Amino acid sequence: MTGRPGRTGRGVGQAGAGDLLALVRTGRATTRGALQQATGLSRATVGQRLDRLFRAGWLREGAGGPVDSPLGGRPSITLEFDDAHAVVLAADLDTRHARAAVLTLTGEILAEHSGPAVLEDGPDAVLGELGAWFAGLLETAGHRADEVCGIGLAVPGPVDSETGRVVQPPIMPGWDGYDIRGRLARAFTERTGVPGAVPVLVDNDANLMAYGEQRTAHPDCTAFVLVKVSTGIGAGVVVDGAIFRGVDGGAGDIGHIRIGSDALCRCGSYGCLAAVASGGAVARRLAESGVPAASGSDVRDLLAAGHPGAAALAREAGRQVGDVLATVVTLLNPGVLMIAGDLAGTPFVTGVRELLYQRALPRSTARLEVVTSRLGERAGLIGAGASVVEHLYAPERAEERLVALGV
């Protein structure tokens, strides 16, 4: 999980220790000399600021690099982000199921657990259970609770990124406006006894899936769209390496675009895309025909077993989603469109392709790749972990944390 390239945000000679860390993490400057050139700082100042990072345990020295001078001399010592000084916790909530993990700062999953977690039971119960899961996972991974630098949580609803609270989530009854950050931090403390509040970041699941997938499999794609089709339908958009959330976290909520149907959606409106083309909608249609199915995961299992009725309905749902995605693709002109979630199999993707290429402008699809998930059920976890690391080690936040550490 290296950070995306970017400016330090300060003028020449003003870069702080956090800025130097960002240059090392992104690979833009990995020796003391390169840091001097990139920042305009003196050798002594670079040394002082690097010393703070070494004392915090955030940097380490690597192998010697090539000798740049034609006169020879000692090779430059490379600098590396030390990913062993802390770990991250992450969880991904679905309507009736959750997954949680301990990850390194570079995204390697050290321990993982999945199990039932019913959102309708309410946030207090669900988040309290996550606290217990995290405590057990840390023991399995062989890490102490005080090594955790942050927690990332993916939820299936729109999130106000300023407050970390979900806003009128159609499939999360009882969660609207709830203090998720505070409750999860308390649950972690209750289960582990670690003093102080651990930072908690909350975001929409499609956003974090998109972030994880883009960074892992498509790092050079500057406009990336992921569509998750499970119980509901949502999209995550990553532009220039950053999640695009809109003004208040509502970007990507394509499941509630009206398509002219009279089907009643869980949001209370009629004709939403999710009401006719989500995994939940396909499950209802199967149940009406006598096939036992209650959720998107049931549809996924039927598709895996080659059930012809499920395949036909999934393809039809794909066509309906593809019709909406034609507008999305024309508007955003992405390089990659990824289909993920319970319905992301051949029948659904075939349906998407049929309507997408029929309705979108040829120029919008000329360089478009339509693909399926590379990370599968771990995408949300990896994206959540990455978001925590990028937040905590961003230059300004890193400076604040160094001061808090007393270095």
Side-chain angles (χ1 to χ4, degrees):
M1 294 181 199
T2 55
R4 66 189 182 95
R7 299 177 184 271
T8 63
R10 306 170 198 258
V12 172
Q14 296 179 343
D19 296 305
L20 269 59
L21 179 67
L23 290 168
V24 173
R25 289 187 62 231
T26 59
R28 294 175 58 205
T30 58
T31 66
R32 289 168 173 80
L35 288 170
Q36 286 178 244
Q37 289 184 331
T39 62
L41 297 174
S42 70
R43 180 175 180 175
T45 303
V46 166
Q48 291 168 356
R49 293 179 183 175
L50 288 178
D51 183 60
R52 296 177 67 201
L53 298 171
F54 281 118
R55 282 187 283 143
W58 296 359
L59 280 189
R60 65 187 172 208
E61 290 186 341
V67 177
D68 296 328
S69 171
L71 301 177
R74 293 166 55 185
S76 299
I77 300 298
T78 60
L79 303 170
E80 301 172 351
F81 179 60
D82 190 342
D83 66 334
H85 71 271
V87 292
V88 174
L89 296 173
D92 186 4
L93 297 181
D94 208 333
T95 52
R96 307 187 66 81
H97 183 271
R99 186 175 295 269
V102 181
L103 300 93
T104 69
L105 299 183
T106 49
E108 177 187 356
I109 292 180
L110 302 175
E112 185 177 3
H113 175 74
S114 62
V118 181
L119 293 186
E120 291 184 354
D121 289 345
D124 187 65
V126 171
L127 298 174
E129 184 66 14
L130 280 185
W133 287 14
F134 285 149
L137 284 167
L138 284 168
E139 184 175 349
T140 300
H143 282 274
R144 303 185 313 273
D146 61 6
E147 294 179 86
V148 175
C149 65
I151 300 173
L153 179 65
V155 298
V159 176
D160 183 330
S161 60
E162 293 297 320
T163 65
R165 301 179 186 229
V166 291
V167 182
Q168 300 177 354
I171 60 176
M172 299 179 70
W175 290 70
D176 185 23
Y178 186 85
D179 181 16
I180 295 175
R181 289 177 178 170
R183 176 65 181 111
L184 188 52
R186 289 194 304 275
F188 178 70
T189 297
E190 290 164 3
R191 293 291 184 167
T192 64
V194 67
V198 175
V200 176
L201 271 70
V202 185
D203 206 336
N204 171 261
D205 55 357
N207 283 347
L208 293 177
M209 289 173 68
Y211 195 50
E213 294 276 9
Q214 187 270 336
R215 290 164 63 87
T216 301
H218 303 276
D220 297 327
C221 180
T222 57
F224 179 94
V225 175
L226 178 143
V227 178
K228 179 186 178 185
V229 187
S230 290
T231 301
I233 300 176
V237 180
V238 179
V239 178
D240 290 335
I243 297 172
F244 178 76
R245 296 183 176 87
V247 173
D248 59 5
D253 200 6
I254 65 170
H256 300 285
I257 292 175
R258 308 290 174 81
I259 61 170
S261 167
D262 59 359
L264 177 62
C265 182
R266 293 182 67 170
C267 73
S269 298
Y270 289 88
C272 294
L273 179 65
V276 297
S278 65
V282 172
R284 285 193 297 274
R285 294 186 63 183
L286 286 167
E288 290 168 359
S289 68
V291 178
S295 65
S297 59
D298 292 335
V299 178
R300 178 191 61 205
D301 294 341
L302 289 167
L303 290 170
H307 191 282
L313 289 175
R315 182 166 181 170
E316 180 183 342
R319 288 172 59 84
Q320 291 166 318
V321 173
D323 197 7
V324 170
L325 289 179
T327 301
V328 172
V329 166
T330 301
L331 177 65
L332 297 178
N333 190 209
V336 175
L337 171 63
M338 179 174 283
I339 309 298
D342 292 331
L343 265 61
T346 300
F348 184 86
V349 175
T350 298
V352 168
R353 288 177 177 274
E354 287 174 356
L355 262 290
L356 172 63
Y357 286 103
Q358 177 183 330
R359 300 290 173 82
L361 293 171
R363 190 189 184 290
S364 300
T365 58
R367 298 172 60 188
L368 176 68
E369 294 181 64
V370 180
V371 301
T372 53
S373 172
R374 292 279 295 274
L375 299 175
E377 294 180 336
R378 291 178 163 179
L381 293 177
I382 292 174
S387 71
V388 170
V389 174
E390 291 309 313
H391 171 73
L392 293 179
Y393 295 92
E396 290 187 5
R397 180 66 177 136
E399 290 284 354
E400 294 172 3
R401 294 178 64 215
L402 287 170
V403 171
L405 288 170
V407 297

